[in-house]
Amino acid sequence: MSFLVPIVMFGWIPVVLYLFMRIPAQRAVIVSFIVAWLFLPVAEYALPGLPDYTKMSATCYGILLATFIYDVGRFSSFKFSWIDLPMLIWCLCPLASSLTNGLGAYDGFSTVLTQTLTWGVPYFLGRIYLNNLSGLRELSIGIFMGGLIYVPLCLYEIRFSPQLHRIFYGFFAHPDFSQTMRYGGWRPTVFMIHGLPVGLWMMAASLVGIWLWHTGVIKQLWNIPMKWLVAAVLITFILCKSTGAYFLLLLGVGILFVGKQFRTALPVFILIGVICSYLYINSQTETYVSDQIISHVSNVVPADRIQSLQFRFDNEELLVDKARKRIVFGWGGWGRSLIFNDKGEQVTVPDSLWILAFGETGTVGLASLTTSLLMPVLTMFWFRCPAELWPKRQAAPVAVLTVAVALYMVEFLLNAHGNPVFVLACGGLSGLVIQEPTTNKVKKAPALPAQRSRNQNRNQNRHQRRQVQRN
């Protein structure tokens, strides 16, 4: 490990404080999360009585400390609402899992603290900082710019193999270097733990870029036309060789353009229904749909990817059978939800987040995690941002971020690599949903700022005309 690792890791909190001094707090939060996720090393330090110190925990500590110092009134702006309940349950349910499995209160509170720092704090920061149109617009632009910055780094590793983490920090982020090879070439990892989160990030950057360019939200960056920047991110994403992310991008683009063309968010609602049905069938019943999925995708997915998918499904079936023995609150931590042979060797590999959540925290944990990510999507498109508003410049960033959060949940059906930027977005969307009374009628949808200003101008003109007529 390079000497640079502890310097960067423990020096990040002062950097976050400096950002809050130099730029607006809302932008400082976005920059802190994105820069830390993209560039800090995949390293952790054990802290007594606290969760492991990682690049994301350092970011959360830094932002919380900066808020206390520079913007303490921001905390009082948070008002707990019904939409926050699923995230609260997800953060607290490890305590019940530990207690019901005899692991003790200390283990439960320790796990709750870790889960809260990983999920609850980014969500909370999104709720208090990004709960408006301007905050979500800046976040969407930040995601796209993060993808742009990653373009030369990804291209370097595609050509020369994933070496940047080793060059700068002295070690490879993932222990199995063979997983960086795909389709006869290299799959970049840059400063993340695996090529999969890189593919997910570049997918999100491509999706955001395509929609912001198409709707005219951004016409150019750094004096470069947007179409060339979007093309650069999209081509790099394709070269990242992440099969699952390819399908996510096609799905996201399809949802957005169908919504624009037919003025309906029905594809999103169908997607939410499919996700919930898939999780219910696989976790609560003894029916498995893996064989049907394999048969449907085998004609369009390469054979080696089919084998990988079959391996995941086979392991999930074994893990689900064990998880049902503790179906309410799960088995707790310490690998108790996994399966071992008589020699104590682990014989199952949990690849997806949903199976980890179900095995460790049971139905309560799985349901709360799913609801915490999908509830903002459902309520945003049902109440606040109907499909007819998606192409509008004020609403376009909100629409594409909401779709990206839905795709993030789809990713969890197959993989377990988290991304706190999406959790931050989830908190911002939740905050925007509860800003004003909701309604399920499109004609009563809350007016966007530009619409309100136009209405005010029309009212002023009418008033002036009436005064002239009276005179």
Side-chain angles (χ1 to χ4, degrees):
M1 183 179 295
S2 169
F3 71 93
L4 191 61
V5 174
I7 294 176
V8 172
M9 293 292 288
F10 291 100
W12 184 241
I13 292 180
V15 171
V16 173
L17 296 177
Y18 178 77
L19 288 173
F20 270 77
M21 292 174 56
R22 301 296 298 177
I23 60 178
Q26 192 176 72
R27 185 172 300 174
V29 171
I30 296 171
V31 172
S32 298
F33 267 95
I34 293 179
V35 172
W37 181 246
L38 296 184
F39 293 103
L40 265 61
V42 182
E44 59 183 37
Y45 293 88
L47 299 178
L50 293 174
D52 291 341
Y53 186 83
T54 65
K55 58 182 177 180
M56 278 299 103
S57 64
T59 302
C60 291
Y61 290 145
I63 295 176
L64 290 175
L65 180 59
T67 305
F68 272 112
I69 296 175
Y70 303 112
D71 196 15
V72 68
R74 183 79 62 167
F75 290 116
S76 62
S77 67
F78 176 78
K79 305 297 181 184
F80 185 82
S81 176
W82 55 270
I83 203 169
D84 305 315
L85 186 60
M87 182 59 71
L88 178 64
I89 296 174
W90 170 238
C91 291
L92 296 179
C93 67
L95 176 60
S97 300
S98 296
L99 293 177
T100 54
N101 283 281
L103 298 177
Y106 179 83
D107 178 81
F109 283 113
S110 176
T111 310
V112 165
L113 189 58
T114 300
Q115 191 126 307
T116 300
L117 190 62
T118 305
W119 292 87
V121 174
Y123 176 87
F124 172 76
L125 293 174
R127 278 278 277 108
I128 64 176
Y129 277 107
L130 307 181
N131 56 3
N132 50 51
L133 293 175
S134 62
L136 294 173
R137 182 181 187 275
E138 287 210 23
L139 179 59
S140 65
I141 295 174
I143 291 174
F144 178 68
M145 293 179 67
L148 275 176
I149 294 172
Y150 247 38
V151 165
L153 305 180
C154 289
L155 294 177
Y156 174 88
E157 292 200 338
I158 291 169
R159 174 62 180 85
F160 297 104
S161 82
Q163 298 290 333
L164 291 175
H165 199 283
R166 181 194 61 81
I167 292 172
F168 283 91
Y169 298 123
F171 65 99
F172 290 106
H174 196 277
D176 187 1
F177 190 75
S178 64
Q179 294 193 21
T180 62
M181 298 190 66
R182 184 73 73 237
Y183 302 137
W186 300 107
R187 180 166 61 178
T189 60
V190 197
F191 298 109
M192 299 187 191
I193 194 172
H194 196 277
L196 290 174
V198 175
L200 181 66
W201 179 260
M202 297 304 291
M203 180 280 298
S206 300
L207 180 67
V208 170
I210 290 171
W211 192 244
L212 295 186
W213 167 53
H214 176 73
T215 55
V217 174
I218 306 178
K219 298 185 183 298
Q220 63 179 16
L221 281 176
W222 306 310
N223 294 323
I224 302 175
M226 191 65 175
K227 62 181 180 180
W228 300 114
L229 300 177
V230 172
V233 174
L234 183 59
I235 292 172
T236 305
F237 162 67
I238 295 172
L239 295 175
C240 285
K241 307 177 183 69
S242 185
T243 308
Y246 293 162
F247 287 101
L248 291 180
L249 180 63
L250 292 175
L251 180 60
V253 171
I255 288 173
L256 289 169
F257 280 91
V258 168
K260 176 190 175 183
Q261 183 68 29
F262 298 100
R263 296 190 174 188
T264 178
L266 183 60
V268 180
F269 301 144
I270 293 176
L271 178 62
I272 293 174
V274 170
I275 293 172
C276 295
S277 299
Y278 176 86
L279 293 176
Y280 174 79
I281 292 172
N282 281 275
S283 64
Q284 305 299 311
T285 71
E286 296 183 359
T287 302
Y288 301 102
V289 296
S290 56
D291 292 338
Q292 292 88 333
I293 295 176
I294 292 294
S295 62
H296 280 86
V297 302
S298 58
N299 295 326
V300 295
V301 177
D304 60 331
R305 295 297 88 209
I306 291 295
Q307 293 177 359
S308 175
L309 192 62
Q310 185 67 63
F311 176 81
R312 294 166 184 260
F313 287 152
D314 291 342
N315 278 268
E316 284 181 1
E317 291 180 7
L318 297 174
L319 292 168
V320 164
D321 289 339
K322 182 174 182 179
R324 289 200 192 101
K325 298 177 182 178
R326 296 282 193 278
I327 195 168
V328 180
F329 290 113
W331 289 89
W334 307 100
R336 290 165 53 87
S337 62
L338 305 179
I339 299 176
F340 300 85
N341 59 21
D342 295 336
K343 298 179 181 179
E345 299 171 339
Q346 181 178 327
V347 297
T348 54
V349 180
D351 282 314
S352 58
L353 181 66
W354 84 265
I355 193 62
L356 285 170
F358 184 49
E360 295 179 3
T361 57
T363 301
V364 174
L366 178 60
S368 59
L369 170 63
T370 305
T371 307
S372 65
L373 292 177
L374 293 183
M375 182 66 74
V377 177
L378 178 64
T379 52
M380 178 61 70
F381 285 158
W382 187 266
F383 296 123
R384 293 301 307 275
C385 188
E388 65 182 17
L389 297 179
W390 294 2
K392 306 296 182 182
R393 294 183 63 182
Q394 295 85 359
V398 176
V400 72
L401 280 179
T402 308
V403 172
V405 171
L407 299 179
Y408 184 53
M409 185 63 215
V410 176
E411 172 72 5
F412 280 163
L413 300 183
L414 296 175
N415 298 302
H417 299 290
N419 186 323
V421 177
F422 289 104
V423 184
L424 184 73
C426 187
L429 293 172
S430 298
L432 183 60
V433 165
I434 62 173
Q435 283 298 311
E436 297 180 12
T438 57
T439 174
N440 60 0
K441 296 181 180 180
V442 173
K443 65 180 181 179
K444 294 184 179 180
L448 295 170
Q451 293 173 324
R452 287 198 294 267
S453 66
R454 286 195 295 268
N455 293 338
Q456 291 172 357
N457 291 335
R458 282 197 294 266
N459 292 334
Q460 291 176 356
N461 293 335
R462 290 171 184 169
H463 180 68
Q464 292 174 356
R465 285 197 299 270
R466 288 173 184 170
Q467 286 183 334
V468 172
Q469 291 173 354
R470 290 170 184 167
N471 293 335

